[in-house]
Amino acid sequence: MIKVITYGTYDFLHYGHTRLLERAKALGDYLIVGVTADDFDKNRGKINVHQSLMERIEAVRSTGLADEIIIEEYEGQKIDDIKRYGIDIFTVGSDWVGKFDYLNEYCKVVYLERTEGISSTEIRAQSGALKIGLVGDSVAITKFERESHFVNGVKIAGFYSETQEEDRDSHTPPDRQHPGTFYQSFLAPLDAVYIASHPSRHYAQIREALLNGKHVLCELPVSLWREECQELFRIARERNCILMAALKTAYATAYSRLLLLVKSGRIGRLVSVDATCTSLRKVDIANQKEYFKTWNSICSWGPSALLPVFQLLGTDFSSKRIVSNVMDDTKQFDLFTRIDFRYPHAVASIKVGKGIKSEGELIISGTEGYIYVPAPWWKTDYFELRYENPAENKRYFYQLEGEGIRYEIVSFVQAIEKKKCFPYIEEKITEAISGIMEDFYSGTDVEYI
Ligand code: CTP
């Protein structure tokens, strides 16, 4: 019996795929089809696959051409499969000519002519590019623009700068509730907006976008007040729009694997989460206009540091204490802030600063061991699981492409296409983060030093 194997992603299974599978089958008596796993595709930079692994497997199965379907999960697996299944012929389309010649050592390699004029990429593009407008002046905007090129089906269709807005308004900051007519004309041709403006502007900008039927991806904090945040989610539901919280760390593979390890009990019962995020930047507090645009510690770093606390311990803490070192009379600009949380059976602390420098590490402690993520943990691709007996320690590394931003964009685009959000950051966490911002600005549970 001649055994044949072939591999592919098979996103939106098309005529080109079936023709290839038919000819592959005809090369022998038994055809094994390897379908690539999502993580494997991610690792090789193919991040815009739209269908899930199960959908793609089902599509291959429905052709009736595969005698067996396997999943391709790691680099080098083809050699293992060829040996394990006793393969005689390895085959793929001619777009790969030469690339798999190294497999000749293990079996015969056949490149089949690729069908002209059709590909998954084209099918994905046909659904029309999603027109996204970018709001804000922060570096996040530049990064988002750069990363959007890695995701097909996305077009950056406009920029909205707050600086221009202020100039037009003769140097007065715009009304918190109404972002103005210029913003409305910016929104008109768009399908969606990515907002990374000063957090004090988020509420008005998100609200206006949603009321005009635009989907929104917004950097945390979504709002500085809990009720406003709830209202925005309510409007999004009423208008059938996606409102998704953005924070790149949440989309990093290493970070999500770390959460799963803790939740599956690998460090025993969770006892404490300690997160530190700091960076230094010169702040001209005397210049009111500059000050207005400057991000304080709690807005810049609070959401990142709060994320693992709320994702691991939940948002129902029994008490909290905020200690802040503020620079101005309005108590709005904090050089650094520390927050201690008490939960019924655990504690957590965050330390955030734009005016201090500290080790940006994340430590998650349990009754049997702990997880250590070295600085800068919010751009994490590596962490360690550590035990009393160092011989049991484990190290984990996951490739992080584009700081996680491109995975965030993919997730937003897919939520819009599927008309359903499977958020990496849950609504109640987004709300709780707004709640902490509200307490900071209203001075609730805050001590000043
Ligand atoms: N294939 C083919 N003819 C096409 C498209 C794909 O023969 N028009 C073959 C590929 O050479 C490969 C297999 O089908 O052996 C699976 O390819 P896959 O990468 O899943 O499909 P593409 O349409 O090429 O996907 P993409 O556009 O995302 O690269």
Side-chain angles (χ1 to χ4, degrees), residues 6-11 14 16-17 20 23 46 92-96 113-115 118-121 124:
T6 188
Y7 296 84
T9 305
Y10 306 105
D11 195 23
H14 54 67
H17 292 144
L20 184 117
R23 285 172 293 153
K46 196 165 180 170
V92 272
S94 52
D95 42 327
W96 296 101
E113 204 51 47
R114 184 181 161 94
T115 308
I118 187 155
S119 74
S120 303
T121 307
R124 286 190 292 257

Side-chain angles (χ1 to χ4, degrees), residues 10 43 123-124 137 143 162 235 240 325 347 357 406 423-424:
Y10 306 105
N43 277 338
I123 297 177
R124 286 190 292 257
D137 300 302
K143 288 186 181 174
E162 295 168 288
I235 299 175
N240 283 323
N325 181 225
V347 289
K357 195 73 201 135
R406 67 184 75 164
Y424 279 61

Side-chain angles (χ1 to χ4, degrees), residues 420-439:
K420 193 160 170 44
C421 208
F422 297 102
Y424 279 61
I425 307 165
E426 289 173 51
E427 196 173 314
K428 73 168 187 219
I429 290 177
T430 305
E431 262 180 48
I433 289 175
S434 287
I436 296 292
M437 299 297 141
E438 176 171 341
D439 290 346

Side-chain angles (χ1 to χ4, degrees), residues 210-223:
L210 293 173
L211 290 175
N212 281 282
K214 315 296 176 189
H215 304 286
V216 178
L217 176 66
C218 181
E219 284 297 329
L220 283 167
V222 156
S223 164

Side-chain angles (χ1 to χ4, degrees), residues 263-289:
K263 292 193 174 184
S264 59
R266 291 291 295 276
I267 56 168
R269 185 173 64 74
L270 180 56
V271 174
S272 108
V273 179
D274 301 283
T276 301
C277 303
T278 68
S279 58
L280 283 182
R281 206 173 78 180
K282 279 211 180 96
V283 177
D284 181 6
I285 213 85
N287 182 339
Q288 279 297 311
K289 189 165 172 245

Side-chain angles (χ1 to χ4, degrees), residues 27 46 111 114 124 153 211-212 228 295 371 374 377 382 391:
L27 288 174
K46 196 165 180 170
Y111 297 104
R114 184 181 161 94
R124 286 190 292 257
L211 290 175
N212 281 282
E228 286 183 352
W295 291 50
I371 285 182
W377 72 264
Y382 172 80

